[in-house]
């Protein structure tokens, strides 16, 4: 099995490699979406493990870019966030599995093997949360809107977000206006607070 890990935290990458070290697995890694996409094209991995919160473009954007290149790509989203709305969004984006970083590490290899074999993977407790969770504000947002919220929560202004996403300032301003309406925010500061609250950023 050939595995690509896209995560910008070296300790996390090292931990993942350690969990796979006893298996016949070739592991490649990248620290951001651009190098992750290049590594996918060059290495043709069997499974991609992608963090949501990457520098620049998010893991959701990378997932969609990879699937546009190869609709059969097998992707597992790997995240600090165990909110069922994020797991649901990952599956909607085309991922075949979702692993929270606070899950039992011993589930990491079985998850990759199951996805590699053509199955899907969701931890049982997260699947239960998805089944019974109350509606989340994220359910009414597009992938682009979630990405804008993520960058706002990280401290980016609208100009910086426009540069990172490769769109005009006006497009981001319009998106932010729509987000204010959806999240009940009256000002840009309210929107930033709402972003941190919805995405559970400390």
């Amino acid at each position: 099995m050939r595995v690509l890990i896209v995560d910008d935290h070296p300790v996390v990458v090292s931990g993942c490699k350690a969990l796979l070290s006893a298996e016949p697995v070739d592991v490649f890694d990248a620290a951001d979406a651009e190098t992750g996409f290049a590594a996918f094209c060059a290495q043709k991995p069997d499974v991609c493990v992608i963090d949501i919160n990457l520098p620049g473009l998010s893991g959701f954007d990378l997932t969609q870019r990879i699937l546009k290149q190869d609709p059969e790509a097998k992707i597992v989203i790997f995240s600090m966030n165990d909110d069922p709305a994020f797991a649901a969004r990952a599956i909607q984006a085309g991922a075949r599995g979702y692993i929270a970083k606070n899950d039992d590490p011993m589930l990491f290899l079985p998850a990759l093997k199951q996805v590699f074999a053509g199955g899907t993977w969701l931890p049982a407790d997260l699947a239960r949360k998805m089944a019974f969770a109350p509606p989340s504000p994220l359910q009414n947002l597009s992938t682009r809107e979630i990405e804008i919220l993520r960058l706002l929560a990280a401290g980016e202004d609208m100009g910086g977000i426009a540069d990172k996403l490769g769109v005009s300032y006006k497009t981001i301003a319009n998106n932010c206006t729509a987000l204010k309406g959806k999240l009940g925010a009256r000002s840009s500061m309210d929107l930033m607070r709402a972003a941190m609250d919805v995405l559970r950023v400390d």
Side-chain angles (χ1 to χ4, degrees), residues 3-32:
V3 176
L4 170 63
I5 299 171
V6 187
D7 194 298
D8 62 326
H9 294 93
V11 172
V12 172
V13 175
S14 295
C16 292
K17 288 180 176 179
L19 290 170
L20 301 174
S21 61
E23 298 288 323
V25 177
D26 292 327
V27 182
F28 313 93
D29 64 272
D32 57 53

Side-chain angles (χ1 to χ4, degrees), residues 1 30 34 46 48 51 56 59 74 85 95 97 141 169 180 186 193:
M1 183 166 58
E34 290 300 328
D46 297 304
C48 302
D51 187 17
K74 296 172 180 176
L141 304 183
Y169 180 93
K180 287 176 185 177
R186 289 176 292 181
R193 290 194 195 99

